[in-house]
């Protein structure tokens, strides 16, 4: 019997480069439909699901509970797993992976262990077209979107390597998730239903693409939305985020308000601290005014150095002063001291060329 490719529901994402759609990212219903198309009994769908998501099988030929002849027939159907091309461990236990995809492209993934959690920072694109001035990924240009299997694969890879369940996933690696919404939403669904991670433990971070936050809200998910604001006004924002030019900060924040109204979830705002650029007390005050009455949380990220630009991380008293102003203005705030700096794995340091 010849193997027919997986034909999944309308929301399947089939990467242009692949000749057959990979199975990873498919639900138990989709997998069951596929095995039945192959002339196999329905229960083999559940088995296949278990081997892909819980046993980490990389080739259908290795599924020992399947009949020998059928295993041979379907041996070439891609599961959709990547290869670990490079792995580096920072002194704080953060592990950075360079993963090689089926077309040879490389993406970065970071595993961040803390006492109770294992968080994976996933990439959504190879490279990034947004070109934020302070971000290493943007300096390297853009190659392509990732398929849903390539996003789910990153989480399984970290889970297997740490031999520990992944508790949280942040879509904060290479790329702009809302330029690849279809694969990102498919991956969210699969991480939730197939890998078993709660939606509230998933965070999608975006620099803001017109209309996309509203569209995301209309999916009524319980995921956390993080928005990379980085400046309290349009003039300053445009200077460091060129893609913000056609999308005024007022419009971005209006969409964020809609997100809160539609989903009932608060929005988290990321704010990179660049010494002398956006870290002054008056910036904090302006930010507080903008966010007044908004169900939000501000996450300050002291700048992590990259080679191409000479921004500086503010001294800690400056960071504390910024925090204090926000607190006085009753804005919920935390400081994210990035993990993995020594492995070039911290926010904004991900690039594929630092081997
Ligand atoms: N494209 C998405 C997600 C990727 S980046 C977004 O823009 O939100 C994840 C976070 O790291 C973003 O807030 C980004 O602005 C921030 N970041 C980028 N470069 C950084 C750097 N050099 N130091 C600290 N944070 C950085």
């Amino acid at each position: 019997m010849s193997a027919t490719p997986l034909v999944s529901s309308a929301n399947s994402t089939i990467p242009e480069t692949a000749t057959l759609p990979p199975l990873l990212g498919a639900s138990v219903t989709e997998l069951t439909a596929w095995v039945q198309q192959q002339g196999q009994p329905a229960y083999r769908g559940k088995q296949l699901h278990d081997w892909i998501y819980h046993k980490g099988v990389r080739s259908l030929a290795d599924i020992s509970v399947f009949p020998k002849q059928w295993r041979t027939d379907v041996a070439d159907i891609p599961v959709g797993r990547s290869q670990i091309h490079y792995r580096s461990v920072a002194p704080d236990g953060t592990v950075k992976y360079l993963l090689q995809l089926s077309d040879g492209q490389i993406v970065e993934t970071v595993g961040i262990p803390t006492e109770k959690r294992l968080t994976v920072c996933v990439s959504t694109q190879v490279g990034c077209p947004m070109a934020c001035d302070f971000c290493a990924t943007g300096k390297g240009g853009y190659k392509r979107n990732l398929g849903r299997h390539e996003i789910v694969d990153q989480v399984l890879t970290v889970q297997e390597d740490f031999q520990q369940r992944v508790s949280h996933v942040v879509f904060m690696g290479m790329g702009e998730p809302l330029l690849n919404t279809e694969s990102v939403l498919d991956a969210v669904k699969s991480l939730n239903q197939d890998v078993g991670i709660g939606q509230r433990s998933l965070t999608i971070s975006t620099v803001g693409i017109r209309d996309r936050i509203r569209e995301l809200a209309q999916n009524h998910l319980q995921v956390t939305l993080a928005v990379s604001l980085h400046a309290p006004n349009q003039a300053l924002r445009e200077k460091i985020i060129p893609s913000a030019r056609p999308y005024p900060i007022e419009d971005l924040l209006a969409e964020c308000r809609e997100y809160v109204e539609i989903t009932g979830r608060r929005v988290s705002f990321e704010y990179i601290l660049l010494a002398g650029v956006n870290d002054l007390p008056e910036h904090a005050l302006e930010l507080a005014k903008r966010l007044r009455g908004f169900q939000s949380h501000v996450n300050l990220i002291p700048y992590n150095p990259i080679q191409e630009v000479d921004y500086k991380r503010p001294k800690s008293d400056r960071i504390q002063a910024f925090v204090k102003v926000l607190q006085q203005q009753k804005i919920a705030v935390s400081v994210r001291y990035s993990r993995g700096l020594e492995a070039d794995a911290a926010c904004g340091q991900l690039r594929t060329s630092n081997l």
Side-chain angles (χ1 to χ4, degrees):
M1 194 192 313
S2 75
T4 9
L6 172 82
V7 183
S8 73
S9 63
N11 63 0
S12 79
T13 46
I14 302 170
E16 282 161 27
T17 45
T19 45
L20 286 172
L23 300 176
L24 185 61
S27 66
V28 71
T29 315
E30 288 172 298
L31 292 174
T32 302
W34 181 72
V35 297
Q36 286 181 301
Q37 266 174 33
Q38 302 288 312
Q40 295 293 321
Y43 70 88
R44 298 242 179 260
K46 177 87 190 62
Q47 288 179 326
L48 180 55
H49 189 268
D50 186 43
W51 279 74
I52 289 177
Y53 294 103
H54 301 120
K55 294 197 165 67
V57 79
R58 288 167 174 271
S59 161
L60 299 193
D62 296 336
I63 303 185
S64 56
V65 292
F66 283 175
K68 243 193 170 135
Q69 181 57 50
W70 191 49
R71 277 158 67 185
T72 316
D73 290 342
V74 293
D76 291 337
I77 300 279
V79 170
R81 299 298 311 267
S82 67
Q83 299 288 333
I84 298 182
H85 180 69
Y86 176 81
R87 178 183 183 278
S88 80
V89 187
D92 65 10
T94 297
V95 183
K96 179 174 90 166
Y97 306 85
L98 296 187
L99 303 181
Q100 184 156 38
L101 309 175
S102 59
D103 62 353
Q105 295 288 350
I106 302 276
V107 282
E108 298 204 15
T109 301
V110 186
I112 309 160
T114 50
E115 223 172 276
K116 291 196 187 116
R117 295 177 169 194
L118 175 57
T119 300
V120 183
C121 177
V122 294
S123 295
T124 54
Q125 298 183 313
V126 183
C128 184
M130 302 313 286
C132 300
D133 198 36
F134 44 78
C135 179
T137 308
K139 303 285 176 201
Y142 166 72
K143 295 276 169 36
R144 68 170 172 88
N145 275 336
L146 296 186
R148 67 172 177 186
H149 65 285
E150 292 168 327
I151 300 174
V152 176
D153 166 75
Q154 298 174 55
V155 176
L156 294 187
T157 297
V158 175
Q159 187 155 278
E160 289 159 8
D161 190 46
F162 275 79
Q163 298 195 348
Q164 183 187 334
R165 277 191 71 85
V166 167
S167 60
H168 293 75
V169 176
V170 293
F171 289 73
M172 293 186 185
M174 303 171 85
E176 169 45 52
L178 297 191
L179 288 179
N180 187 14
T181 316
E182 195 178 329
S183 293
V184 165
L185 289 178
D186 285 348
V188 160
K189 186 172 158 223
S190 178
L191 291 173
N192 182 221
Q193 295 177 6
D194 305 313
V195 183
I197 304 172
Q199 282 191 15
R200 285 169 179 255
S201 304
L202 307 176
T203 300
I204 297 177
S205 177
T206 178
V207 73
I209 309 289
R210 191 183 284 284
D211 297 332
R212 300 285 167 88
I213 292 176
R214 181 179 304 113
E215 285 164 21
L216 182 66
Q218 280 152 2
N219 285 276
H220 294 278
L221 297 171
Q222 286 298 298
V223 298
T224 300
L225 175 69
V227 174
S228 295
L229 197 61
H230 301 329
N233 59 58
Q234 177 67 10
L236 188 50
R237 191 161 196 267
E238 284 187 10
K239 264 196 202 154
I240 54 178
I241 305 175
S243 67
R245 252 165 242 156
Y247 187 31
I249 193 167
E250 292 78 15
D251 295 2
L252 169 63
L253 290 173
E255 275 195 59
C256 293
R257 278 180 220 279
E258 278 188 54
Y259 188 90
V260 173
E261 275 165 28
I262 296 174
T263 63
R265 305 272 292 150
R266 72 177 183 179
V267 173
S268 160
F269 289 104
E270 291 154 292
Y271 191 104
I272 190 171
L273 287 169
L274 305 167
V277 176
N278 66 351
D279 68 332
L280 303 175
E282 58 255 40
H283 294 130
L285 199 57
E286 197 181 354
L287 179 66
K289 281 193 186 137
R290 267 222 190 263
L291 299 182
R292 189 148 298 144
F294 204 122
Q295 241 179 296
S296 67
H297 175 263
V298 173
N299 209 221
L300 300 173
I301 320 173
Y303 169 66
N304 299 314
I306 66 165
Q307 287 157 21
E308 291 87 344
V309 282
D310 60 0
Y311 290 120
K312 299 258 174 319
R313 173 184 281 211
K315 302 240 165 5
S316 76
D317 54 343
R318 196 47 98 60
I319 299 173
Q320 284 321 313
F322 201 96
V323 169
K324 212 166 159 199
V325 173
L326 291 180
Q327 284 172 340
Q328 281 164 350
Q329 298 294 319
K330 308 269 185 288
I331 301 286
V333 57
S334 54
V335 184
R336 186 200 298 163
Y337 284 100
S338 291
R339 306 275 309 268
L341 261 184
E342 297 84 349
D344 268 345
C347 298
Q349 293 187 314
L350 303 184
R351 66 174 84 231
T352 48
S353 57
N354 53 0
L355 266 182

